[in-house]
């Protein structure tokens, strides 16, 4: 069984600010750093650091070689990553004194996927393999369709949530990993229990993991609902916390662990990521997660 992540690779330009800018305001930042990121890249690195062999398919632009290099250095298989002309995806991220962030996303090369490229990569995978997707690339609907047709287990982190997901046939998703905002948008309610009920009604065969920030996370599937508290840490930068959780959750499932243990492991990994700066560099290795006293 192989794991394919078709996803974004971004350069994150991270600015430390006193507070998140409001419309019309100009504010000097207290510092700026560039980190590798992108929901796709972060989730591949989280999977690799959790001990899973993951193949990443994605597109980088002229200045994006560093993104492929970071993936390779962290144990991600990069044979399907292609370089194209034009700019890589990038973000401008503000992180305030309370470690909250806001992200402006430029799609760049992440939005240049073609059906041909997806078909070529998917031809290397088979029934039973896992296909992981987020919503920072184009043609997510096509990838879901083709992965499902092949009998792959399609896992969707519908982030960032927008109208492009309206064309995705969600009935073909085996596992959703979503936060409460995305849950509310899919299910039409903000109450976590109602979100899970709605998800079960709409997608009875799918497993669902709903993350609730400082209120923890809930798993629903296989006839059970399992709740997990969040670990308390001093937050430095919440970027990639959700991606870390996603990678570690999938890793736990692939290792055949029990759901309560998986949620505990993913929460610890994500708490460690929150206590460090940056996206990909903040993702802990499995040894750190196991050793952490949280
Ligand atoms: O989930 C965090 C990621 O979202 C960042 O690394 C940034 O690139 C944005 O895509």
């Amino acid at each position: 069984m192989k794991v394919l992540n078709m996803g974004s690779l971004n350069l994150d330009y991270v600015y430390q600010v006193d507070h998140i800018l409001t419309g019309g305001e100009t504010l000097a930042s207290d510092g700026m750093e560039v980190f590798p990121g992108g929901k796709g890249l972060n989730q591949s690195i989280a999977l690799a650091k959790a001990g899973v062999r993951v193949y990443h398919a994605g597109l980088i632009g002229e200045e994006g070689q560093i993104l492929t290099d970071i993936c390779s250095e962290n144990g991600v298989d990069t044979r399907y990553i292609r370089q194209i002309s034009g700019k890589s995806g990038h973000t401008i991220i503000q992180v305030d004194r309370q470690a909250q962030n806001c992200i402006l996303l430029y799609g760049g090369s992440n939005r240049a996927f073609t059906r041909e490229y997806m078909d070529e990569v998917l031809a290397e995978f088979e029934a039973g393999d896992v296909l992981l997707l987020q919503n920072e690339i184009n043609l997510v609907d096509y990838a879901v369709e083709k992965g499902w047709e092949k009998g792959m287990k399609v896992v969707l982190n519908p982030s960032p949530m927008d109208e492009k997901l309206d064309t995705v046939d969600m009935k073909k998703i085996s596992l959703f990993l979503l936060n409460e905002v995305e849950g509310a948008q899919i299910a039409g309610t903000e109450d976590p229990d109602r979100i899970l009920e709605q998800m079960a009604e709409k997608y009875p065969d799918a497993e669902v993991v709903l993350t609730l920030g400082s209120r923890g996370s809930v798993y629903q599937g296989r006839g059970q609902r399992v709740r997990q508290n969040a670990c308390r840490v001093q937050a430095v930068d919440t970027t990639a916390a959700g991606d870390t959780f996603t990678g570690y959750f999938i890793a736990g499932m692939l290792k055949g662990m029990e759901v309560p243990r998986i949620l505990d492991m993913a929460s610890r990994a994500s708490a460690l990521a929150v206590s460090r700066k940056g996206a990909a560099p903040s993702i802990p290795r499995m040894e750190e997660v196991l050793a952490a006293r949280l």
Side-chain angles (χ1 to χ4, degrees):
M1 195 272 312
K2 296 199 285 184
V3 180
L4 169 64
N5 182 9
M6 272 190 175
S8 58
L9 303 113
N10 290 335
L11 288 160
D12 288 345
Y13 294 86
V14 182
Y15 297 83
Q16 304 297 327
V17 290
D18 174 70
H19 59 271
I20 305 290
L21 280 169
T22 53
E25 184 183 5
T26 301
L27 179 69
S29 70
D30 299 329
M32 187 278 230
E33 285 168 277
V34 185
F35 294 107
K39 293 183 194 307
L41 177 149
N42 297 337
Q43 292 178 22
S44 280
I45 289 184
L47 278 159
K49 286 188 170 177
V52 173
R53 176 146 187 83
V54 54
Y55 297 81
H56 190 99
L59 301 170
I60 53 168
E62 290 145 5
E63 77 289 43
Q65 184 56 42
I66 186 176
L67 298 171
T68 309
D69 295 344
I70 295 283
C71 285
S72 305
E73 284 161 21
N74 283 286
V76 176
D77 191 309
T78 58
R79 74 183 73 185
Y80 303 120
I81 296 180
R82 302 253 175 90
Q83 189 157 35
I84 60 170
S85 57
K87 294 281 174 210
S88 288
H90 78 252
T91 60
I92 293 176
I93 304 183
Q94 299 175 43
V95 179
D96 73 11
R97 293 194 195 283
Q98 283 71 47
Q100 289 310 306
N101 67 22
C102 80
I103 303 181
L104 174 65
L105 178 64
Y106 171 73
S109 50
N110 295 313
R111 313 272 327 140
F113 276 69
T114 61
R115 290 177 170 74
E116 293 69 32
Y117 169 57
M118 285 184 164
D119 288 345
E120 230 174 274
V121 175
L122 285 167
E124 305 288 319
F125 293 82
E126 58 185 26
D129 289 344
V130 172
L131 172 62
L132 171 61
L133 297 159
Q134 312 78 29
N135 190 33
E136 285 189 343
I137 62 167
N138 60 317
L139 292 178
V140 173
D141 50 357
Y142 185 78
V144 168
E145 206 59 43
K146 292 293 157 181
W148 180 83
E149 265 174 36
K150 285 183 85 80
M152 293 176 82
K153 180 179 165 113
V154 185
V155 178
L156 178 66
N157 167 223
S159 183
M161 190 75 161
D162 63 25
E163 69 293 338
K164 292 194 298 302
L165 287 175
D166 294 350
T167 54
V168 172
D169 185 352
M170 298 287 185
K171 295 214 160 55
K172 294 179 174 159
I173 307 300
S174 300
L175 167 64
F176 291 92
L177 291 124
L178 65 177
N179 65 27
E180 55 198 322
V181 176
E182 293 144 7
Q185 283 169 294
I186 290 189
T189 165
E190 287 182 5
D191 175 55
D193 287 323
R194 290 285 301 132
I195 291 174
L196 289 166
E197 282 161 25
Q198 290 279 324
M199 291 296 289
E201 268 170 40
K202 285 187 178 180
Y203 314 112
D205 299 328
E207 294 172 273
V208 181
V209 180
L210 181 64
T211 56
L212 303 166
S214 59
R215 289 182 296 148
S217 53
V218 193
Y219 163 89
Q220 171 175 277
R222 303 183 205 158
Q224 55 174 340
R225 214 179 255 188
V226 182
R227 291 171 200 277
Q228 170 71 43
N229 290 332
C231 306
R232 304 270 162 228
V233 283
Q234 181 64 48
V236 172
D237 180 353
T238 56
T239 314
D243 300 327
T244 304
F245 190 101
T246 294
Y248 269 84
F249 186 89
I250 296 170
M253 289 209 102
L254 296 175
K255 288 173 201 278
M257 291 165 60
E258 295 294 321
V259 173
R261 275 194 62 214
I262 303 177
L263 286 178
D264 179 57
M265 176 176 77
S267 305
R268 287 164 176 275
S270 153
L272 287 175
V274 164
S275 67
R276 302 167 178 176
K277 281 203 287 187
S282 73
I283 301 169
R285 293 189 315 278
M286 181 62 99
E287 308 85 83
E288 298 174 277
V289 176
L290 296 176
R293 296 189 173 279
L294 296 167

